[in-house]
Amino acid sequence: MKKLLLIFGILIIIIGVLALLFSVLQGYGYYHLLDGDADMYSRMHRRMILSLVIGIVLVVIGVISIIRR
């Protein structure tokens, strides 16, 4: 059970970091896009915020899983 929690925690942290990197990429696109309509800006901003929240939640779950191990 301990090894399973460790593997689960590491995988969840990796997925959370990838979500945070996607959020950074969307934020970069949102702030550096020069030619786009309002719908594109709103989609990028929504994806940036959503990925940020999902990434933070996943990293916290992964850390809690490793600590409980």
Side-chain angles (χ1 to χ4, degrees):
M1 184 68 179
K2 287 184 177 185
K3 192 175 281 191
L4 182 65
L5 279 175
L6 179 66
I7 293 171
F8 176 75
I10 291 172
L11 287 176
I12 293 297
I13 287 175
I14 290 171
I15 294 170
V17 168
L18 288 176
L20 290 172
L21 288 174
F22 183 73
S23 175
V24 168
L25 180 66
Q26 291 298 315
Y28 182 81
Y30 176 76
Y31 287 113
H32 291 91
L33 181 67
L34 299 176
D35 188 19
D37 56 351
D39 186 45
M40 186 178 295
Y41 281 106
S42 66
R43 280 185 285 141
M44 287 180 126
H45 188 262
R46 185 176 43 239
R47 279 186 268 172
M48 177 180 67
I49 299 298
L50 185 64
S51 296
L52 180 68
V53 170
I54 289 173
I56 290 171
V57 168
L58 287 175
V59 168
V60 168
I61 289 172
V63 168
I64 289 172
S65 172
I66 289 176
I67 290 173
R68 293 241 9 221
R69 180 189 71 87

